[in-house]
Amino acid sequence: MWQGIIRAAAAGVVLALAAPAGAVIKIDQPIEGIYGTAVAVVVGKVSKVNAGKGVEATVTEVLKGNFAEKTLQIDLAAVPDVAKSAAADAPVILMTGRKAGAMVHLGDTWLAADAGASPAAWKVTADRGPGGGGGFHGRTATLVKVVGELKAGKKPMMTAYEHSSWVGKFDCGNIGAGVLAMRSADVNGDKSADLVVLLAAGVKLYLSTGPRAAFKDATAACGLASAKAGRAAFGDVNGDGKPDLLLDSIWVNGGAKFTASKSGIDLSKYNLLAVALVDATGDKKVDAVAVTKDGKLLVFENPGSPDQLWKAQPPKALWQGGDEVLAAEIADWYCDGTLSVMVTTDNDLYCYAFDGRPRDDFFRLVGQKKESFPYRGKPRHYPLSAVGGFKGMLALDVNGGDGRPDVWVIPGNFGVYTLHLVNAGYGCFAWNTEGSIEKGVAWTPADIYDDGSQELLVVTDKGQLFQIDSPPFYGSNVPAPGGKAGAPVPEPYDVKRGG
């Protein structure tokens, strides 16, 4: 058997160094390691389904090694559930080992297989599950893209990352009680993150006076005294390089102040979970996107100017019914150019892609069941279903500014560690058991030092605002300044803060 590949992963990540700061966390069984170990890697498409028994597939590409066969016969009798769900035109991937064993990815799961009577025939012996390949626990169609990039010499997925710890807690003044949500961006071009704050009574804008310092209320001066919103997002709607604001409507950043647009958008009539200013139509123009609490996706198309009416696309149902969704974040969670929304309920985490692919739950995203995560045998890490009382969720990149949004789910019980999932790429996340979030009522990532790494701004119920630093770490995928990727870094390297 091909033991290096077919063994089921015991954990999604392995902590290679014990030190809490600067430690390297390695992804267990990264897909590039599996690909590198394989003798042959073959991609095919199911051409015939033999009900309950197996499939035949047409070989569409040989990515690695020598494989002269034009078809594959895959016996699925040992895995009846997979056999029942097999469908024509579904993708399949065969990775052969140095001996007789192989791994097959079919039906969005890893299958262990033995060689049959011919090079084209393979008999599946076990279903290893989504996490049976270690670092990759996504879907088969996605794996086709990943192995294609590996053939091209690229490194599509993270194999290791620096453990990131929050460092310091700095008082940034009092912005008043009653904060519901916050978002941050550099609105005036001074290379320092500013802050928009949402309150029941309206919107406030605070300008930065420097790192670890109080923010200055500039709401009236910046033209936002009359603005209202339940959710907020920054984005450049007119291509002038300045971050505009999506509140209940779009507000255009003129440099010195914001002006209400003529887009015709009015989000005040919707019960919103999340909003974003992102390209949702593929025309390289930033659109207005919103997801409602009942699961509807709303897209307002940018005609090229905020002073023209933005056409509303027909609402699209991402989900209907089920457990109440408590929080959501819109991002390119799959790191493949596809927008999706990550949502949390009291019992699970789901990702809904806007392109209609099947939703992914915690098991699919992490490769393991959520109940299987005690921390070193200690009870301080509970199953997700036992945390309850979620306060919110953040898309926050804290592992060196690699551009991949990480998931932070904030529990109501702050004695329980925050659920922190590090984005390895293509819908695969690694569990970080060390992360925690400062207690508060609202949070937002903010690039305080203009160095590509995101700090955290948190406000308490009394309105006290704090900056929590997350120094940039440089791991195997991120070269340290003056160094090369993979070089050991004993301490966080910090350009702006002097190390």
Side-chain angles (χ1 to χ4, degrees):
M1 281 292 187
W2 190 9
Q3 297 298 331
I5 291 182
I6 64 171
R7 69 181 179 87
V13 295
V14 175
L15 185 61
L17 300 177
V24 175
I25 297 177
K26 293 183 178 180
I27 305 294
D28 187 48
Q29 300 256 19
I31 186 60
E32 69 178 63
I34 297 175
Y35 181 89
T37 307
V39 173
V41 178
V42 180
V43 177
K45 180 184 289 188
V46 173
S47 55
K48 182 178 179 181
V49 177
N50 300 318
K53 297 180 180 179
V55 300
E56 295 181 16
T58 301
V59 174
T60 58
E61 189 173 9
V62 177
L63 297 178
K64 183 181 179 183
N66 297 315
F67 195 86
E69 306 300 318
K70 302 299 182 183
T71 61
L72 296 171
Q73 290 87 42
I74 302 174
D75 185 340
L76 299 173
V79 286
D81 289 342
V82 177
K84 290 176 185 177
S85 62
D89 296 327
V92 57
I93 299 173
L94 171 72
M95 297 186 181
T96 66
R98 292 189 179 93
K99 296 183 179 180
M103 285 296 284
V104 174
H105 209 279
L106 173 67
D108 302 327
T109 191
W110 289 99
L111 306 168
D114 288 341
S118 72
W122 294 88
K123 183 176 181 180
V124 170
T125 57
D127 182 355
R128 298 297 185 188
F136 183 86
H137 30 82
R139 298 183 179 274
T140 308
T142 303
L143 184 56
V144 172
K145 298 178 184 178
V146 172
V147 293
E149 291 204 7
L150 289 170
K151 180 189 178 184
K154 300 178 181 178
K155 292 189 175 183
M157 298 187 66
M158 183 165 51
T159 58
Y161 57 93
E162 298 290 344
H163 171 80
S164 294
S165 301
W166 301 112
V167 179
K169 179 179 177 181
F170 308 99
D171 191 342
C172 294
N174 194 290
I175 60 173
V179 176
L180 302 176
M182 304 187 297
R183 291 290 180 182
S184 178
D186 177 11
V187 303
N188 56 4
D190 64 355
K191 306 297 183 182
S192 189
D194 306 304
L195 186 65
V196 66
V197 175
L198 306 186
L199 306 148
V203 173
K204 286 190 175 183
L205 179 68
Y206 292 88
L207 297 180
S208 171
T209 63
R212 305 176 181 177
F215 283 71
K216 178 183 177 181
D217 188 345
T219 309
C222 289
L224 291 173
S226 64
K228 294 183 181 299
R231 295 288 186 271
F234 283 102
D236 184 3
V237 302
N238 53 9
D240 65 356
K242 295 188 286 290
D244 306 301
L245 255 176
L246 176 60
L247 299 169
D248 280 349
S249 59
I250 291 175
W251 290 74
V252 180
N253 186 351
K257 65 186 302 183
F258 286 85
T259 305
S261 75
K262 299 177 182 177
S263 65
I265 295 174
D266 181 9
L267 298 179
S268 64
K269 56 188 175 182
Y270 299 101
N271 191 0
L272 298 175
L273 273 172
V275 299
L277 284 173
V278 286
D279 179 9
T281 58
D283 62 359
K284 298 184 179 180
K285 294 194 290 285
V286 169
D287 307 300
V289 179
V291 175
T292 66
K293 288 209 73 171
D294 60 357
K296 289 186 176 59
L297 170 63
L298 310 174
V299 175
F300 301 86
E301 298 180 40
N302 185 346
S305 169
D307 291 324
Q308 300 176 28
L309 290 177
W310 288 33
K311 180 182 177 182
Q313 291 186 353
K316 177 181 178 180
L318 296 175
W319 69 84
Q320 292 178 309
D323 293 341
E324 179 187 4
V325 174
L326 304 175
E329 286 281 354
I330 298 168
D332 179 8
W333 289 109
Y334 290 96
C335 304
D336 63 358
T338 303
L339 289 173
S340 51
V341 60
M342 190 80 71
V343 308
T344 181
T345 69
D346 197 43
N347 289 304
D348 217 324
L349 195 71
Y350 301 103
C351 194
Y352 295 88
F354 292 174
D355 65 3
R357 72 184 72 170
R359 80 170 185 185
D360 289 331
D361 60 6
F362 185 96
F363 184 36
R364 171 67 62 183
L365 296 167
V366 182
Q368 296 186 65
K369 294 182 179 180
K370 57 184 179 291
E371 290 82 7
S372 65
F373 286 97
Y375 175 67
R376 297 176 183 173
K378 298 178 182 179
R380 63 176 180 174
H381 279 276
Y382 300 96
L384 181 60
S385 58
V387 175
F390 289 123
K391 299 291 289 185
M393 179 163 56
L394 288 173
L396 175 60
D397 176 14
V398 294
N399 55 307
D402 65 359
R404 295 183 173 105
D406 305 320
V407 185
W408 290 78
V409 178
I410 305 166
N413 178 359
F414 285 91
V416 178
Y417 272 45
T418 308
L419 170 60
H420 177 203
L421 302 180
V422 181
N423 195 334
Y426 284 97
C428 297
F429 294 80
W431 178 280
N432 181 3
T433 60
E434 299 287 340
S436 62
I437 288 283
E438 183 71 23
K439 186 175 181 179
V441 295
W443 303 259
T444 187
D447 186 357
I448 300 291
Y449 301 98
D450 191 36
D451 60 0
S453 181
Q454 291 182 318
E455 277 62 55
L456 180 71
L457 293 176
V458 54
V459 64
T460 69
D461 57 353
K462 298 184 184 301
Q464 204 66 32
L465 183 67
F466 294 99
Q467 173 188 326
I468 315 293
D469 280 357
S470 178
F473 292 89
Y474 295 89
S476 64
N477 291 13
V478 184
K484 64 178 184 178
V489 182
E491 295 294 337
Y493 184 92
D494 189 337
V495 178
K496 298 290 182 180
R497 284 157 277 177

